[in-house]
Amino acid sequence: MTPSRNTLGWMYEKMVASRHFEELIEKIYMEGKTPVFNMANGPIPGEMHLSNGQEPVAVGVCAHLTPDDIVTATHRPHHQAIAKGVDLKKMAAEIFGKATGLSGGRGGHMHIFDAEVNFACSGIIAQGMGPAAGAALSRKLQGKPGVAVSFIGEGAANQGAFHETLNLAAVWKLPMIVVVEDNAWGISVAKEASTAIQCNADRAAAYGIPGHYIPGNDPLKIYEVAGEAIARARRGEGPTLIEVETYRLAGHFMGDAEGYRPDGEKDALFAKDPIPNLRRLLVSDHGFTEAELDEIEDKARAEIEEAIAFARQSPDPKPEDALTAVFA
């Protein structure tokens, strides 16, 4: 399965948009947090988890999805939110805690919900798998279109929810795909120190479903494998488990000193940055010109900067609205 030229351009655009979004967020996040780091200070309080380097996973999968399809993501969700089509202005405003945000500024960056495109995320490890299975079950029982994709980190594959959900998804042949983003680190714990099996995709065999491992953070290979899995789910043939080797170019969270990484690891990862790698491939193998790609980048960056400006200028929530949508 080879992406069309338009799809390749879309994939590059969303990868650039995600990276530029996070570069701006990273800079703004540190405002007011120096010289002594305090995550409560500045225009974006709280924790911040960046997905720089993991963009290929989002675009390779989401290129096959429609607004009817459901995505659940993790505490590191920006690349998937952007690839799924979440409203950029409202998402930025939510991260800034503004009244114009997707949830009125109540959720922040780990709790992004956009019902218009069926996107949700959570800060709890493996939490999104159960809701994704429920959404897939509802689609199947009601005969409605749509598949569910649950993105998780490799550490989540050791949670009970991972195994319970895959078991039921297989029993009920749900239209569901579980995508494991293996960035090699569960916070500061190396995968080999926490996980008994080298490849989580091998665990698919325990549930009688297909399992695929994709090395090298390759967006085109991800596109190919995800396309087959999503088509299989749409045919009613049940779930698929996919694990992708990807790279976390930043720390686990903003402020992470990353002392756990071996010397030279980050330099080696930046040398494999997927965005310039894809750009070179689009020119050498797919007939794109440098001018075309510059235009795509300019468009993506302009949209992100407009969204950030909207968030900056939006009003704070009113104190009297603090209990709105709170259920007793």
Side-chain angles (χ1 to χ4, degrees), residues 45 90-91 93-113 315-327:
K90 292 180 179 179
M91 179 171 74
E94 184 63 30
I95 292 170
F96 278 75
K98 297 300 185 72
T100 54
L102 289 163
S103 300
R106 294 172 177 82
H109 104 103
M110 288 189 285
H111 305 96
I112 294 170
F113 297 93
D316 292 324
K318 296 178 181 179
E320 57 265 31
D321 293 336
L323 298 182
T324 301
V326 175
F327 297 90

Side-chain angles (χ1 to χ4, degrees), residues 62-134:
C62 291
H64 298 282
L65 302 182
T66 73
D68 288 328
D69 298 319
I70 301 98
V71 165
T72 65
T74 72
H75 56 278
R76 198 180 309 282
H78 303 150
H79 55 322
Q80 289 140 2
I82 289 171
K84 187 61 169 72
V86 169
D87 188 293
L88 289 174
K89 290 182 178 180
K90 292 180 179 179
M91 179 171 74
E94 184 63 30
I95 292 170
F96 278 75
K98 297 300 185 72
T100 54
L102 289 163
S103 300
R106 294 172 177 82
H109 104 103
M110 288 189 285
H111 305 96
I112 294 170
F113 297 93
D114 190 344
E116 295 297 321
V117 295
N118 287 306
F119 180 90
C121 64
S122 171
I124 306 301
I125 305 304
Q127 186 278 336
M129 290 189 64

